């Protein structure tokens, strides 16, 4: 059974990104459909998969992370406008029976991702 998961690591402070808003969208051409909104837990992970089973289908998706609001909530001095604010990750799911883990490593001035396990 396939599933989609994520987690966030705060590389500026060396800890999980707790309490970050995560939005998930399905993409089809120019259409963007909201699927789920959640927040990361104390470990920087979501409490349950974003999608799993029949809900995960092959196609294109977008994750949007509220990184700027997270760093502001910590009292981090940020420029205005913020250099990194809403991090948008677009990715494809080719095999709906596989586990797609899409982590975010983020700081106020950079971010990266990869397909994890």
């Amino acid at each position: 059974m396939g599933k989609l998961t994520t987690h966030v690591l705060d590389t500026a402070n060396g800890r999980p990104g707790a309490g970050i808003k995560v939005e998930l969208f399905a993409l089809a051409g120019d259409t963007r459909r909201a699927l789920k909104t959640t927040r990361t837990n104390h470990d920087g992970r979501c409490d349950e998969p974003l999608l799993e089973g029949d809900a995960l289908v092959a196609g294109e998706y977008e994750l949007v992370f509220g990184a700027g609001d997270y760093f502001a909530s910590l009292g981090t001095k940020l420029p205005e406008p913020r250099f990194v604010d809403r991090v948008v990750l677009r990715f494809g799911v080719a095999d709906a029976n596989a586990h797609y883990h899409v982590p975010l490593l983020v700081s106020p001035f950079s971010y990266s991702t990869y397909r994890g396990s």
Side-chain angles (χ1 to χ4, degrees), residues 72-84:
S73 75
L74 296 178
T76 305
K77 185 174 179 182
L78 301 170
E80 196 57 49
R82 297 169 180 168
F83 185 74
V84 170

Side-chain angles (χ1 to χ4, degrees), residues 26-102:
L27 306 174
D30 291 335
T31 303
R32 184 175 180 247
R33 183 172 48 96
L35 298 177
K36 187 170 201 170
T37 300
T38 188
R39 289 196 176 268
T40 57
N41 62 22
H42 71 281
D43 196 33
R45 299 176 183 274
C46 298
D47 289 330
E48 58 188 34
L50 297 171
L51 294 174
E52 64 182 324
D54 293 339
L56 180 64
V57 298
E60 293 183 66
Y61 294 89
E62 180 178 277
L63 281 169
V64 181
F65 298 88
D69 289 344
Y70 163 75
F71 285 110
S73 75
L74 296 178
T76 305
K77 185 174 179 182
L78 301 170
E80 196 57 49
R82 297 169 180 168
F83 185 74
V84 170
D85 191 20
R86 291 170 41 101
V87 175
V88 179
L89 302 178
R90 288 190 172 195
F91 60 95
V93 169
D95 179 1
N97 293 312
H99 180 188
Y100 284 79
H101 184 65
V102 184

